[in-house]
Amino acid sequence: MQFSLFLKKLLPEFVDVYKKYFSSTVKAALLWTILCFAIVQVLATYCSYDPGIRAQPVSVLSFFILKFSVNNTYSFVDLTRTLFIFFVAIFSVNLNQKVTIKNVIYLLGSLAVCALLDCALFRLNTQLQTLFSTNAHALIWFNEIVLLLRNYLPLLLFAIVIQLCIGKLNTKHLGFLLIALWLFNELAYEFIMLIRPVLFSLLMITLKPMTWRYVMESVLGIPLIAFLFLGYYCAMTAPFYLPEEEK
């Protein structure tokens, strides 16, 4: 399939997936998201933070869009998006077939690998900052590459594992997968950045204490993040079945 044709079919596919599955899966997506938020809040409460950290979480949503590992301190809340993608992967396998013990082992193993990779990439970036402390341009480049890997390796790995679980992996479509993941990930980020400051800030305009604002935005964030479930499902699976449908 040509790249232009794939893009032409991919964008309507996102819409079709929401039309087809949204009403029947919205409850499951909400439950998975509530579980994700609960685990993230535990991580946020008990993980370590560098004393010099600048970014402060406004709500659980903050952990979906920011990184909180700084200097030599790795904060496990940086695994928030990876944990969310893990739940999306379970959700995705369940949409195609019954989840088996083997599938769960594959997905849990992928989660462990992603957690280790994220920590290792952060440590690597710390070493690179020391090594290239006198070369600002090289340092900026390495920082961007490491951040890109931390953001997209979990998406790529879980997308491949989903295909292994349902027995439909075709490595020829990995290029299309990268395109779809980047496209929806950017759309999801912009969607959150639109809703959060415009709608959520308006709804919380009368709330003064930061604690109440934290709780309220976290609660409002649950349906917002749950809405993205089907989009990530489509981004991680459509690149494998759309080219096959063309054939």
Side-chain angles (χ1 to χ4, degrees), residues 81-91 107-108 111 158:
R81 290 179 70 255
T82 300
L83 182 64
F84 173 71
I85 297 302
F86 166 70
F87 289 133
V88 174
I90 298 176
F91 174 89
L107 294 170
L108 285 173
L111 179 62
F158 276 113

Side-chain angles (χ1 to χ4, degrees), residues 154-206:
L155 287 165
L156 181 62
L157 180 58
F158 276 113
I160 292 173
V161 171
I162 290 169
Q163 296 304 309
L164 288 174
C165 289
I166 63 178
K168 297 181 180 179
L169 178 63
N170 189 333
T171 56
K172 294 189 298 182
H173 304 324
L174 292 181
F176 290 153
L177 175 63
L178 290 172
I179 295 166
L181 292 176
W182 174 83
L183 179 63
F184 187 78
N185 199 52
E186 291 298 313
L187 287 173
Y189 176 80
E190 294 298 332
F191 181 64
I192 294 173
M193 295 306 293
L194 173 65
I195 300 297
R196 190 183 186 192
V198 175
L199 180 59
F200 289 1
S201 295
L202 176 62
L203 294 174
M204 299 185 298
I205 201 167
T206 59

